[in-house]
Amino acid sequence: MITISESAAERLKEMLSEQELPNMFLRLGVTSGGCSGFSYAMGFDDDETENDVYMDVQDLKVVVDKESVKYLNGLEIDFEESGMTGGFTIHNPNATVTCGCGSSFRTATDAGKPSEEPC
């Protein structure tokens, strides 16, 4: 369902090891907003609910809320180093439109609710 490259997994594991709370995991989701209609949510969490789907990807616990699963099926996360900077990149095969900064999208069947503020 979700693919995380080796370089992204290594970086996420490093970041998780720096967290002060035990049992943290990667939470992925989708929220309304962004310039295209939906925005990606990616962060660490330690609170799992009945509304969550659990996955093990590259030995990382990944949790996605059930509402976001349909938008994230096939998602690919990578981490790229570029000179003195680096960052996570997301490729979503469900996205038919994305914004210039790559942090928001819409699908063929759902336009979401774009925010009025630019990226």
Side-chain angles (χ1 to χ4, degrees):
M1 176 181 154
I2 292 175
T3 303
I4 299 175
S5 72
E6 189 174 323
S7 61
E10 286 177 20
R11 183 65 183 123
L12 287 164
K13 288 174 187 175
E14 288 173 17
M15 293 169 70
L16 275 167
S17 71
E18 297 169 358
Q19 300 301 309
E20 301 202 10
L21 295 173
N23 303 317
M24 298 288 283
F25 53 83
L26 177 64
R27 177 174 290 283
L28 299 174
V30 172
T31 60
S32 289
C35 36
S36 294
F38 292 108
S39 291
Y40 297 107
M42 182 170 144
F44 299 127
D45 198 353
D46 66 345
D47 186 28
E48 205 170 341
T49 71
E50 294 177 5
N51 191 40
D52 291 329
V53 176
Y54 159 83
M55 292 164 257
D56 185 284
V57 183
Q58 292 271 16
D59 295 323
L60 284 167
K61 181 177 180 178
V62 179
V63 175
V64 178
D65 67 272
K66 290 178 183 175
E67 289 296 313
S68 295
V69 168
K70 63 184 173 187
Y71 301 112
L72 301 179
N73 189 26
L75 190 79
E76 299 171 6
I77 300 174
D78 194 10
F79 184 81
E80 298 176 358
E81 296 277 350
S82 177
M84 295 186 61
T85 63
F88 292 98
T89 60
I90 295 176
H91 171 71
N92 186 346
N94 304 299
T96 56
V97 174
T98 59
C99 68
C101 62
S103 65
S104 74
F105 68 99
R106 83 175 68 139
T107 68
T109 58
D110 201 340
K113 185 176 180 184
S115 65
E116 295 187 17
E117 295 183 27
C119 292

